[in-house]
Amino acid sequence: MTDLLFILFSVLGGTLIWKLRQQSEYAKELITNHCFKLDLQLLWVARSKFNLKLGENFLQASFIFEFSSDNDNSYQGRLFLSGLRKPRFELPVYRSVEDFDTFH
């Protein structure tokens, strides 16, 4: 009986780790595409927290990422994911530079 419980918990733990990794890779892809669309330089991405909920989108997570718009200042944004759906970005107000030659 203990062997079956051990196998069950091993499978559940492996599945959770696999889903966390899948969500992290998807979040990195979403953030990279979002920064490319807004013409921002992505500096780093990190998972800040996650919650387990019952239901279809059982894994809710938030990610913090740092970006730069003018190569001098850096800003932090957040991405909230519910499973692999419903991405919601929160970006601070940042300086938008049209031409880098005008500042040097």
Side-chain angles (χ1 to χ4, degrees):
M1 184 64 176
T2 59
D3 292 338
L4 289 176
L5 288 176
F6 176 74
I7 291 171
L8 176 67
F9 286 125
S10 296
V11 168
L12 289 175
T15 303
L16 178 63
I17 291 171
W18 173 63
K19 293 301 271 183
L20 285 170
R21 189 71 219 142
Q22 182 184 24
Q23 190 180 46
S24 293
E25 290 173 1
Y26 181 63
K28 173 112 166 86
E29 182 181 330
L30 281 174
I31 292 169
T32 302
N33 291 341
H34 193 69
C35 286
F36 181 75
K37 246 191 290 186
L38 297 176
D39 198 25
L40 301 172
Q41 179 186 9
L42 180 62
L43 302 176
W44 56 263
V45 177
R47 179 187 296 267
S48 63
K49 64 180 178 178
F50 72 96
N51 294 325
L52 296 175
K53 304 280 184 181
L54 294 177
E56 183 179 326
N57 297 322
F58 68 93
L59 191 57
Q60 297 177 346
S62 66
F63 295 85
I64 298 175
F65 59 97
E66 192 164 301
F67 63 93
S68 176
S69 61
D70 59 359
N71 294 333
D72 290 331
N73 301 317
S74 63
Y75 307 94
Q76 281 191 357
R78 296 179 74 89
L79 168 66
F80 298 96
L81 274 177
S82 180
L84 295 177
R85 299 187 179 144
K86 303 177 193 167
R88 183 173 53 112
F89 286 93
E90 286 184 2
L91 294 168
V93 177
Y94 59 89
R95 183 176 182 173
S96 178
V97 177
E98 295 296 325
D99 187 14
F100 289 110
D101 297 331
T102 59
F103 289 103
H104 298 289

